[in-house]
Amino acid sequence: MAMQKVNSLFLNSTGKDVNPDLDIERKNPSFDVERLTNILDGGAENTRIRRAVDTWLQKDPEFSKENQYFRTQNERYEDAVRRSFYLEKKMNEMKWAEDGPERKYCFRALNGHLAFNVHQVFLKSILGLGTDEQIAKWGPLAEKFYISGTYAQTELGHGTYLRGLETTATFDVATQEFILNTPSISAMKWWPGELGRTATHAVVFAQLYLKEKSYGMHPFMLQIRSLLDHSPMPGVTVGDIGPKMSFENVDNGFLLLKNVRVPRENMLSRFSQVLPDGQYRKQGSDKINYLTMMVIRTQILEYEVVPLLMKACTIAVRYSVVRRQSELKPGDPEAKILDYQTQQQKLLPQLATAYALFFVCGYLQEVFDKGYRETKEGKFDMLPELHALTSGLKVIATDYSSAGAEVCRRACGGHGYSLLSGLPTLCTKLVASCTYEGENTVLLLQTARFLIKCFGAAINGKPLPPSVAYLSSENLGKCRAKEKRDFLNPDVYADAYRQRAFRMLRKAANKLQMLVQSGIAQYDAWNRCSVQLAQAAMAHSHYIVVEKFVEALERFGQEAGIQRILKHLCDLFALHGIHSEMGGFMQDGYLSTEQTAMVTESYLDLLAIIRRDAVPLVDAFDFSDGNLNSALGCYDGRVYERLYEWAKKSPTNQQGNQIFKTYLKPLFQNALSKL
Amino acid sequence: MAMQKVNSLFLNSTGKDVNPDLDIERKNPSFDVERLTNILDGGAENTRIRRAVDTWLQKDPEFSKENQYFRTQNERYEDAVRRSFYLEKKMNEMKWAEDGPERKYCFRALNGHLAFNVHQVFLKSILGLGTDEQIAKWGPLAEKFYISGTYAQTELGHGTYLRGLETTATFDVATQEFILNTPSISAMKWWPGELGRTATHAVVFAQLYLKEKSYGMHPFMLQIRSLLDHSPMPGVTVGDIGPKMSFENVDNGFLLLKNVRVPRENMLSRFSQVLPDGQYRKQGSDKINYLTMMVIRTQILEYEVVPLLMKACTIAVRYSVVRRQSELKPGDPEAKILDYQTQQQKLLPQLATAYALFFVCGYLQEVFDKGYRETKEGKFDMLPELHALTSGLKVIATDYSSAGAEVCRRACGGHGYSLLSGLPTLCTKLVASCTYEGENTVLLLQTARFLIKCFGAAINGKPLPPSVAYLSSENLGKCRAKEKRDFLNPDVYADAYRQRAFRMLRKAANKLQMLVQSGIAQYDAWNRCSVQLAQAAMAHSHYIVVEKFVEALERFGQEAGIQRILKHLCDLFALHGIHSEMGGFMQDGYLSTEQTAMVTESYLDLLAIIRRDAVPLVDAFDFSDGNLNSALGCYDGRVYERLYEWAKKSPTNQQGNQIFKTYLKPLFQNALSKL
């Protein structure tokens, strides 16, 4: 039954209405497209469920995104809240398990169109930071949504550096209460989602003061709005921070506290407690909480980053075989723009990047799961590596995805500038990921700090964690490629990336050491090396992505077609990187001028090869039209028809034009007698 | 009197309310800031007039941009129309000359907040393409705004490639009329500004058909809306194409024509005429019209591109000395983020780029003026060089400015994502410039075509135009720098850029020749080289920018302070480019590994030097607060206060929250008894 629905949905798109220029691209894929989709879904059963969910969503107009591009910030917010409640009701009617795949696919498909994401973080922080009594008290209320919460950490003047946060919580022994205050304007909580117009409660992070001594950041449960009429509680000033580049569905907010009192029991006290007499007591290890930050970064890549790059590729590739422009061969009709080498060079490396990031996310999840198990058993050895790895990979994934989506957008020319293409929204959402959950430069320097430590350990003959093991094997030969096909050998290019990362790190480490030895303070020396350290950390992360893509290829040894196309993409990802950042690979003569020419030729050859499968490769991502929400990217390739249909719906075409009556008509009358 | 006004305006900003962290940055500039402002304005008198205009604009609430970030597309459009009429009235009251500097500064300051830009293009196309009779008929109507016009060339399915345009104009001898038609959906006119909701007339480009034979693109004057009630004329379908990434003030539109008849006299006939019997006659040379395209590109750089990068730099640099984050030196207060090398490496190269582009724009204007004079005298020799030059420089300026503004935006962290920072608007406007008025890749390949021709001419010993003269002097030595300070010699780095461009072009030319000699068709060979050709054209343009910056330094030999700081910026621009694209400079051993290390060290040294003058360097751009319209970038540095003040004004904080009553309250009541 569900299968039938799926078929009918997809029949609609594969019928005779498909633009022939797009249709022909699907005739002879070099690989089994459905099988690749299954791989991306993690199995055929997942593909089936995901499609059933997509079909279910597409049937219901309440889930349509059709008019989103015309909606104001306020409408987007109200839509998101309404849709969230409706979805919850419908999912319950379907009797889908709380942690079942159907719900996951719903949330994924409606990402950006729902509310209450931060409420989940609020709930998790109660469960992770609260005592059993606190969990028993607030957990069920949050779970049933009897209260609505947010997670208030970032301040107007303070982001990544937690020790800089200014909000204070001073314990008053007499009343057994904490008094929370915002001591200055820069101390206002700023940015938390759902704080602006929704939340009744907040987990607020504040500097704990006991008898005028500071004990650092601690979490406090605070009611910020009345449950009866939603008005701010006494001492609370709260509101929306205004418009952003995207995320109109989220009401990011500000919070100002003036002598707000909460009982002693409102400090979330799983890991530290304030006794009635004002004594401070630490208990247990909160290391497991570091994992929360890491799991959020991993999930962001899987939900908010990589799929958005995949969507951008889908839209741009499909459009590029429908759009025709200029003569390629004199006398021929205008050519598909994807037949131009310059267009291939824009889009196909992004496609390869999307696949590369997909596989490295799988690897990251594996390492994370192992780290989680060990940490729960009280073994914390993996934490530093895991932190460095999630940081570095978060940076490269968000950096490459946002740059890549922008390349896709620009490759669609003027139409890529229209919101109706769907591309601007993808781009403005993706660029946010370079800043949130750890600003990219800050994260790179944290990865660099770990790498420098490992580099020092390697010199002292100590064993290194797996992802940095290569730092102990000094093997600085030159590249052994003799002709351009040698660069299609993964050992050759993986070695190039490994050696580059090693060289860059060694140079930064040597400079650091030299500066310190010359008498410059450690902190100053670090700062003077930080550009090079960040670059080294990026080169390291780039190497990991290449290496993990190469390793993933081995899994498909039994499937020649799949392995061949993935190998092409892996080659392209690696060679595009070398071609684009040649200088780093040429250092110390690792690559000669002749070899860089071979890289370029091999890279350009790959473009022509992958171009043939470009449409099947984006089809394999298998986004439904409703999910893409792009006039340029639909499965049927009816690009111009859809742009026109959608444009006609723009409210600007329905609004009466006051301008004419007020300003233009009086002037235009002067022309009547003259024309 | 005017001077007093200026002073009082600027006194407001330099009083004691300036954030001390910003104030201290202004205490010891290494150069005369006012003098640099005068240079940027083209003289002290211009600075005086510009400030007087800014003061005048800031006094009048009608010109305030304060709430723009909260306005809808429709409101922005209506604001722009209303403001345009109001401005016209006020400027007339001031009795400012039609082509005087005051009007120019008004338009520049209100760029993006006015309507009727395309009406000016409409008027210019009448004057440029019409016969004397046609100019006499429509010119005055357009000038007095008795009719409102647009310029309709681009079609839904056709952009840069004019021969691909599909709209037809068929001459009917019987009625002496042209019949205009949109033969397919992809032939709809799409994108013209002011077409969506405003224009009554359009200059429409269509394929001329006489007796079933096509004569190519010609311009036709067409009435599209009634002057009485603004309804579409018979056979005309017209509307707005919907929301875009930016340019909310402009009503970009679509136009569909069905058997729309216009009299024979409506073909703009300065250069070609259709006689009553349907005969076609060409007359005169339309080469002067090529200059129109070029002058538009030059003006875009001056008005729409470089100032936006300057604004982004101003905002990000000022914010970066107010924002403090993390400990740099242990135990110290949190450091200004501009004191981190990684932040300097983000912002200061953008600042250097803004200055580099300012000087190259001046050069472009000079070359253009010369070309214009010669063309008017019937000498067309300069046109190909001028076209290649404007194309290449348009690409590098738009590419670098949009990338640079995004770097500035991201360097402001989370607050750079808020529209209130002003940065998102700058970024989304700038990225459009990479696509409009000639898509960048298309333009680069046109420049490349010219370069390849010149390269061939050089081999044959023919003389070359000045900007490419270096192509005839083969001088492929290695870089002669021996220590890092050698890279502060402009001869050294200019040579590096020149040699790189030469090598890249030679490699592309050789490959092209080899492919053709191997039997591959010319068109196919060109396509297979196009990635490398585009890169060579970019390298050439980059060289021109460096060379013209170096030449500009010579003009300030009498002003040590100015020359020194500009020299630092020129060095930084050049070395940042080498550091970022090292591979191209290392080809054929031009730079050795040791020399690239010197470049990097010299580049990093410069960051620390220029950092000291960073605030004076952006102050020299002298944007008024009203013009910047940024909560982060104001002169007084009251960043957090202003963000809070502006956020409070967001309509989301005034809108009653229906969400609470409908969805939340019924649930929250369940919690009342439990808390």
Side-chain angles (χ1 to χ4, degrees):
Chain A
M1 181 65 192
M3 200 57 209
Q4 248 179 332
K5 273 187 218 148
V6 174
N7 283 343
S8 69
L9 171 74
F10 283 77
L11 272 177
N12 279 341
S13 324
T14 50
K16 49 190 163 192
D17 281 347
V18 175
N19 182 315
D21 278 343
L22 182 50
D23 205 35
I24 199 169
E25 300 278 343
R26 295 182 170 127
K27 293 299 182 198
N28 287 305
S30 80
F31 63 95
D32 180 344
V33 180
E34 179 69 12
R35 173 62 188 132
L36 186 53
T37 300
N38 296 159
I39 291 167
L40 293 166
D41 280 323
E45 175 63 8
N46 283 344
T47 302
R48 191 191 63 72
I49 298 172
R50 181 181 52 72
R51 286 189 183 148
V53 166
D54 270 355
T55 313
W56 182 77
L57 289 172
Q58 289 210 38
K59 273 189 324 185
D60 193 328
E62 185 62 28
F63 298 127
S64 163
K65 303 170 186 170
E66 201 178 292
N67 291 316
Q68 74 157 90
Y69 302 122
F70 306 133
R71 310 283 279 171
T72 64
Q73 188 193 356
N74 188 47
E75 288 167 341
R76 289 288 303 277
Y77 164 71
E78 293 188 349
D79 289 349
V81 171
R82 189 188 63 246
R83 195 178 288 120
S84 295
F85 279 102
Y86 182 81
L87 174 66
E88 196 59 32
K89 192 181 102 198
K90 287 285 163 182
M91 290 195 303
N92 289 337
E93 285 172 16
M94 296 295 283
K95 298 197 172 26
W96 286 334
E98 272 301 326
D99 52 356
E102 290 88 354
R103 284 177 187 255
K104 188 184 82 177
Y105 287 125
C106 276
F107 290 128
R108 185 183 287 196
L110 294 173
N111 187 354
H113 300 267
L114 296 174
F116 310 124
N117 284 322
V118 182
H119 180 78
Q120 295 305 319
V121 180
F122 168 75
L123 174 57
K124 274 183 195 148
S125 65
I126 295 171
L127 303 178
L129 304 171
T131 60
D132 292 346
E133 299 75 41
Q134 289 173 324
I135 294 174
K137 179 175 180 186
W138 289 304
L141 295 174
E143 265 161 25
K144 292 179 195 149
F145 211 77
Y146 291 171
I147 60 178
S148 153
T150 181
Y151 181 91
Q153 182 176 297
T154 305
E155 294 175 357
L156 184 49
H158 308 277
T160 320
Y161 185 67
L162 297 190
R163 271 183 290 166
L165 295 175
E166 295 180 74
T167 305
T168 57
T170 311
F171 187 60
D172 178 353
V173 181
T175 62
Q176 292 288 301
E177 288 171 320
F178 293 103
I179 311 163
L180 278 88
N181 268 300
T182 303
S184 72
I185 191 158
S186 56
M188 291 181 80
K189 295 296 175 186
W190 200 270
W191 277 110
E194 295 153 46
L195 174 60
R197 310 174 67 190
T198 315
T200 59
H201 286 66
V203 170
V204 173
F205 282 80
Q207 303 286 358
L208 171 65
Y209 279 88
L210 300 173
K211 297 168 190 162
E212 288 170 28
K213 196 186 150 199
S214 167
Y215 288 79
M217 293 303 299
H218 287 75
F220 297 85
M221 172 66 76
L222 201 65
Q223 182 171 351
I224 55 173
R225 285 189 179 92
S226 154
L227 293 161
L228 279 171
D229 64 4
H230 219 224
S231 61
M233 300 298 283
V236 169
T237 304
V238 62
D240 190 296
I241 62 165
K244 302 141 291 185
M245 285 188 97
S246 190
F247 294 93
E248 296 86 351
N249 56 316
V250 184
D251 54 317
N252 300 88
F254 60 77
L255 176 68
L256 196 149
L257 303 172
K258 193 166 176 192
N259 292 324
V260 176
R261 286 175 172 262
V262 294
R264 192 174 61 89
E265 294 72 28
N266 278 33
M267 184 173 106
L268 294 178
S269 300
R270 166 164 275 183
F271 302 107
S272 46
Q273 216 184 346
V274 173
L275 301 181
D277 62 351
Q279 277 198 69
Y280 182 76
R281 188 167 292 172
K282 244 192 135 44
Q283 56 207 12
S285 164
D286 58 352
K287 288 208 168 164
I288 194 91
N289 280 308
Y290 288 116
L291 287 167
T292 311
M293 197 173 57
M294 299 182 204
V295 80
I296 288 177
R297 282 181 198 149
T298 311
Q299 283 176 351
I300 281 171
L301 300 193
E302 199 185 327
Y303 284 81
E304 309 266 352
V305 177
V306 182
L308 273 60
L309 176 59
M310 289 174 170
K311 285 184 188 180
C313 289
T314 305
I315 296 168
V317 166
R318 287 181 181 165
Y319 175 67
S320 295
V321 298
V322 170
R323 178 73 173 190
R324 288 174 170 274
Q325 179 128 335
S326 302
E327 280 176 352
L328 212 172
K329 185 175 172 184
D332 269 8
E334 292 187 84
K336 292 179 173 183
I337 57 176
L338 196 57
D339 288 328
Y340 292 96
Q341 191 188 48
T342 46
Q343 186 79 353
Q344 292 165 14
Q345 161 240 3
K346 289 176 190 174
L347 298 184
L348 303 183
Q350 314 318 323
L351 188 55
T353 301
Y355 278 94
L357 294 177
F358 168 79
F359 287 111
V360 89
C361 280
Y363 159 73
L364 194 56
Q365 192 63 54
E366 276 170 34
V367 183
F368 178 80
D369 289 344
K370 183 155 174 271
Y372 188 78
R373 280 194 306 273
E374 288 195 3
T375 309
K376 275 189 101 171
E377 292 163 10
K379 288 192 279 181
F380 305 129
D381 307 352
M382 273 186 73
L383 284 181
E385 183 194 16
L386 198 51
H387 177 63
L389 204 56
T390 48
S391 300
L393 291 176
K394 187 267 185 182
V395 174
I396 199 166
T398 55
D399 231 50
Y400 281 31
S401 295
S402 40
E406 173 66 12
V407 169
C408 290
R409 192 195 66 68
R410 232 179 268 184
C412 294
H415 295 325
Y417 198 71
S418 163
L419 295 197
L420 307 182
S421 73
L423 290 163
T425 308
L426 294 172
C427 291
T428 51
K429 278 196 77 170
L430 273 168
V431 293
S433 68
C434 299
T435 303
Y436 65 60
E437 291 303 328
E439 195 277 326
N440 277 0
T441 305
V442 173
L443 290 186
L444 274 184
L445 288 173
Q446 289 179 8
T447 301
R449 210 171 275 277
F450 172 76
L451 292 174
I452 288 288
K453 266 186 203 160
C454 291
F455 193 78
I459 289 172
N460 295 322
K462 292 187 190 145
L464 295 182
S467 66
V468 291
Y470 71 97
L471 294 179
S472 39
S473 56
E474 184 157 4
N475 169 30
L476 290 177
K478 317 245 150 150
C479 175
R480 54 198 163 81
K482 300 214 159 24
E483 47 177 343
K484 70 176 178 180
R485 50 177 293 172
D486 290 341
F487 280 102
L488 303 179
N489 179 348
D491 290 343
V492 168
Y493 56 69
D495 188 63
Y497 277 91
R498 189 164 44 236
Q499 302 292 348
R500 177 179 68 142
F502 185 92
R503 278 193 311 272
M504 289 174 80
L505 192 66
R506 191 186 51 180
K507 280 186 194 177
N510 288 349
K511 181 176 171 185
L512 189 61
Q513 197 183 18
M514 216 189 60
L515 289 173
V516 171
Q517 283 172 350
S518 79
I520 291 169
Q522 172 71 30
Y523 77 90
D524 193 8
W526 179 268
N527 191 26
R528 292 191 199 193
C529 294
S530 56
V531 166
Q532 286 145 302
L533 286 162
Q535 284 172 348
M538 195 67 170
H540 165 74
S541 308
H542 205 157
Y543 161 59
I544 300 280
V545 181
V546 169
E547 190 194 31
K548 296 306 157 190
F549 202 163
V550 170
E551 285 178 15
L553 297 179
E554 290 163 21
R555 273 178 252 156
F556 305 104
Q558 302 302 311
E559 304 175 80
I562 293 287
Q563 199 184 41
R564 194 184 318 113
I565 191 69
L566 289 178
K567 167 74 166 52
H568 288 323
L569 290 166
C570 182
D571 294 348
L572 182 66
F573 177 75
L575 297 189
H576 173 256
I578 301 178
H579 172 78
S580 311
E581 298 168 32
M582 228 159 233
F585 293 92
M586 294 180 78
Q587 294 287 314
D588 300 322
Y590 181 83
L591 284 191
S592 67
T593 296
E594 294 68 33
Q595 285 171 322
T596 61
M598 295 173 200
V599 168
T600 300
E601 289 309 316
S602 230
Y603 159 62
L604 295 174
D605 289 349
L606 279 168
L607 295 180
I609 292 168
I610 297 176
R611 186 261 169 265
R612 295 173 213 144
D613 281 314
V615 169
L617 280 169
V618 298
D619 283 354
F621 295 143
D622 200 31
F623 291 110
S624 67
D625 286 352
N627 198 346
L628 277 179
N629 202 20
S630 161
L632 298 189
C634 284
Y635 188 88
D636 66 9
R638 296 179 67 246
V639 167
Y640 301 128
E641 295 85 341
R642 203 168 270 107
L643 265 176
Y644 183 38
E645 283 159 27
W646 288 16
K648 280 190 284 189
K649 291 181 193 160
S650 172
T652 42
N653 288 319
Q654 272 81 58
Q655 272 144 353
N657 196 335
Q658 290 305 318
I659 288 307
F660 175 70
K661 286 173 205 133
T662 317
Y663 297 101
L664 309 183
K665 196 177 177 183
L667 282 163
F668 293 168
Q669 287 186 323
N670 297 307
L672 285 175
S673 59
K674 295 177 182 88
L675 280 174
Chain B
M1 180 65 189
M3 201 56 209
Q4 247 179 334
K5 272 187 218 150
V6 174
N7 283 343
S8 69
L9 170 75
F10 283 79
L11 273 177
N12 278 341
S13 326
T14 49
K16 50 189 159 186
D17 281 347
V18 175
N19 182 315
D21 278 342
L22 182 51
D23 205 36
I24 199 168
E25 300 278 343
R26 295 181 170 128
K27 293 299 181 199
N28 287 304
S30 80
F31 64 96
D32 181 344
V33 179
E34 179 70 11
R35 171 64 187 132
L36 187 52
T37 299
N38 297 159
I39 291 168
L40 293 167
D41 280 323
E45 175 63 6
N46 284 343
T47 302
R48 193 191 60 75
I49 299 172
R50 181 180 53 72
R51 284 188 184 150
V53 167
D54 269 354
T55 313
W56 182 77
L57 290 172
Q58 290 209 41
K59 272 189 323 186
D60 193 328
E62 185 62 29
F63 298 127
S64 165
K65 304 169 186 170
E66 199 177 296
N67 291 317
Q68 74 157 90
Y69 302 121
F70 306 132
R71 308 283 279 171
T72 66
Q73 188 192 356
N74 187 49
E75 288 167 342
R76 290 287 303 278
Y77 164 70
E78 294 189 348
D79 289 349
V81 172
R82 188 188 64 245
R83 197 178 287 120
S84 295
F85 279 102
Y86 182 80
L87 174 66
E88 196 58 34
K89 194 181 104 199
K90 287 284 163 181
M91 289 194 305
N92 289 338
E93 285 173 15
M94 296 296 284
K95 298 196 171 30
W96 287 334
E98 273 300 326
D99 53 356
E102 290 88 354
R103 284 176 188 257
K104 188 185 82 175
Y105 288 125
C106 276
F107 290 127
R108 184 182 287 198
L110 295 174
N111 186 354
H113 300 267
L114 297 173
F116 311 122
N117 283 322
V118 182
H119 179 78
Q120 295 304 321
V121 180
F122 168 75
L123 174 57
K124 273 181 195 150
S125 64
I126 295 170
L127 303 177
L129 304 171
T131 60
D132 292 346
E133 299 77 38
Q134 290 173 324
I135 293 173
K137 179 174 179 188
W138 290 305
L141 295 174
E143 267 162 23
K144 291 179 194 146
F145 211 77
Y146 292 171
I147 61 177
S148 153
T150 181
Y151 181 90
Q153 180 176 297
T154 305
E155 295 176 358
L156 185 49
H158 309 277
T160 321
Y161 184 66
L162 296 190
R163 274 184 288 166
L165 294 176
E166 295 180 71
T167 305
T168 58
T170 311
F171 186 59
D172 179 353
V173 180
T175 62
Q176 292 288 299
E177 288 171 320
F178 294 103
I179 312 164
L180 278 89
N181 268 300
T182 303
S184 71
I185 191 156
S186 56
M188 291 179 80
K189 295 296 176 186
W190 200 269
W191 277 109
E194 294 153 46
L195 174 59
R197 310 175 66 188
T198 315
T200 60
H201 286 67
V203 170
V204 172
F205 282 81
Q207 303 286 358
L208 172 65
Y209 279 89
L210 302 173
K211 299 168 190 162
E212 287 169 28
K213 198 186 149 200
S214 167
Y215 286 79
M217 293 304 300
H218 286 75
F220 297 85
M221 173 65 78
L222 201 67
Q223 183 172 353
I224 55 173
R225 285 189 178 91
S226 155
L227 293 162
L228 279 173
D229 65 5
H230 219 223
S231 61
M233 299 298 282
V236 169
T237 305
V238 63
D240 189 295
I241 62 164
K244 302 140 292 184
M245 283 189 97
S246 191
F247 294 95
E248 295 87 350
N249 57 317
V250 184
D251 54 319
N252 300 88
F254 60 77
L255 177 68
L256 196 149
L257 304 172
K258 196 169 174 188
N259 292 323
V260 175
R261 287 175 170 264
V262 294
R264 192 173 60 91
E265 292 73 26
N266 278 34
M267 185 172 105
L268 295 178
S269 299
R270 165 163 276 183
F271 302 107
S272 47
Q273 215 184 345
V274 173
L275 301 182
D277 62 353
Q279 276 198 68
Y280 182 77
R281 187 167 292 171
K282 245 194 132 40
Q283 56 207 9
S285 164
D286 58 352
K287 287 208 169 164
I288 194 91
N289 280 309
Y290 286 117
L291 287 167
T292 312
M293 196 173 57
M294 297 182 205
V295 80
I296 288 177
R297 281 183 199 147
T298 310
Q299 284 176 350
I300 282 171
L301 298 193
E302 200 186 327
Y303 284 81
E304 309 267 351
V305 177
V306 182
L308 273 59
L309 177 59
M310 289 173 169
K311 284 184 189 180
C313 288
T314 305
I315 297 167
V317 166
R318 287 181 181 165
Y319 176 67
S320 295
V321 299
V322 170
R323 178 73 172 190
R324 290 175 169 272
Q325 179 128 338
S326 302
E327 281 176 350
L328 214 173
K329 184 175 173 186
D332 270 10
E334 291 187 82
K336 293 178 173 185
I337 57 176
L338 195 59
D339 287 328
Y340 292 96
Q341 192 189 47
T342 47
Q343 185 78 353
Q344 293 166 12
Q345 159 240 4
K346 289 176 190 175
L347 298 183
L348 303 183
Q350 314 317 323
L351 188 55
T353 301
Y355 278 95
L357 294 177
F358 168 79
F359 286 111
V360 89
C361 280
Y363 159 73
L364 194 57
Q365 191 63 55
E366 277 170 33
V367 182
F368 178 80
D369 290 344
K370 183 155 175 266
Y372 188 78
R373 281 193 307 272
E374 289 195 2
T375 308
K376 274 190 105 171
E377 292 163 11
K379 289 192 277 181
F380 305 130
D381 308 353
M382 272 187 75
L383 284 182
E385 184 195 17
L386 198 51
H387 177 64
L389 204 56
T390 48
S391 299
L393 292 176
K394 187 265 184 183
V395 174
I396 199 167
T398 55
D399 231 50
Y400 280 31
S401 295
S402 40
E406 172 65 12
V407 170
C408 290
R409 191 194 66 68
R410 232 179 267 184
C412 294
H415 295 324
Y417 198 72
S418 164
L419 295 197
L420 307 182
S421 73
L423 291 163
T425 307
L426 294 171
C427 291
T428 52
K429 278 197 78 170
L430 274 168
V431 294
S433 68
C434 299
T435 303
Y436 66 59
E437 292 302 328
E439 193 278 326
N440 277 1
T441 305
V442 173
L443 290 185
L444 274 185
L445 288 173
Q446 290 178 7
T447 301
R449 210 173 276 278
F450 171 77
L451 293 174
I452 287 287
K453 265 186 205 161
C454 293
F455 193 76
I459 290 172
N460 295 322
K462 291 187 189 144
L464 295 183
S467 67
V468 291
Y470 72 96
L471 293 179
S472 41
S473 58
E474 183 157 4
N475 169 28
L476 290 176
K478 317 246 149 148
C479 174
R480 54 198 164 82
K482 297 212 162 28
E483 47 177 341
K484 69 177 180 179
R485 48 176 293 171
D486 291 339
F487 280 103
L488 302 180
N489 178 349
D491 291 343
V492 169
Y493 55 69
D495 189 64
Y497 277 91
R498 188 164 47 235
Q499 302 291 348
R500 176 179 70 141
F502 185 92
R503 278 193 311 272
M504 287 175 79
L505 193 66
R506 191 185 49 176
K507 279 186 194 179
N510 288 349
K511 180 176 171 184
L512 190 61
Q513 197 183 18
M514 215 189 59
L515 288 174
V516 172
Q517 283 172 349
S518 78
I520 290 169
Q522 171 71 31
Y523 77 89
D524 192 8
W526 179 267
N527 191 26
R528 291 190 202 195
C529 294
S530 56
V531 165
Q532 285 146 301
L533 285 162
Q535 284 172 349
M538 194 68 171
H540 166 74
S541 308
H542 206 156
Y543 162 59
I544 300 281
V545 181
V546 169
E547 189 195 32
K548 296 306 155 189
F549 202 164
V550 171
E551 285 177 16
L553 296 179
E554 290 161 21
R555 271 178 254 157
F556 306 103
Q558 303 303 312
E559 304 175 80
I562 294 286
Q563 199 183 39
R564 195 185 317 113
I565 191 69
L566 289 178
K567 166 75 165 51
H568 288 323
L569 290 166
C570 182
D571 295 348
L572 182 66
F573 177 75
L575 296 189
H576 173 256
I578 301 178
H579 172 78
S580 310
E581 299 167 32
M582 227 160 233
F585 294 92
M586 294 180 77
Q587 293 288 313
D588 300 322
Y590 181 83
L591 284 191
S592 67
T593 295
E594 293 68 33
Q595 285 171 322
T596 61
M598 293 172 201
V599 168
T600 300
E601 289 309 315
S602 230
Y603 159 62
L604 295 175
D605 289 349
L606 279 167
L607 294 180
I609 292 168
I610 297 176
R611 186 261 169 267
R612 293 172 215 146
D613 280 315
V615 168
L617 281 169
V618 298
D619 282 354
F621 295 143
D622 200 31
F623 292 109
S624 67
D625 286 353
N627 198 346
L628 277 180
N629 202 22
S630 161
L632 299 189
C634 285
Y635 188 88
D636 66 9
R638 297 178 67 247
V639 167
Y640 301 128
E641 295 85 342
R642 203 168 270 106
L643 264 176
Y644 182 38
E645 282 159 26
W646 289 15
K648 279 189 284 189
K649 291 182 191 160
S650 172
T652 43
N653 288 320
Q654 272 81 58
Q655 272 143 353
N657 196 334
Q658 290 306 317
I659 289 306
F660 175 70
K661 286 173 205 131
T662 318
Y663 298 101
L664 309 182
K665 194 176 179 186
L667 281 163
F668 292 167
Q669 287 187 321
N670 296 305
L672 285 174
S673 59
K674 294 178 182 86
L675 281 172

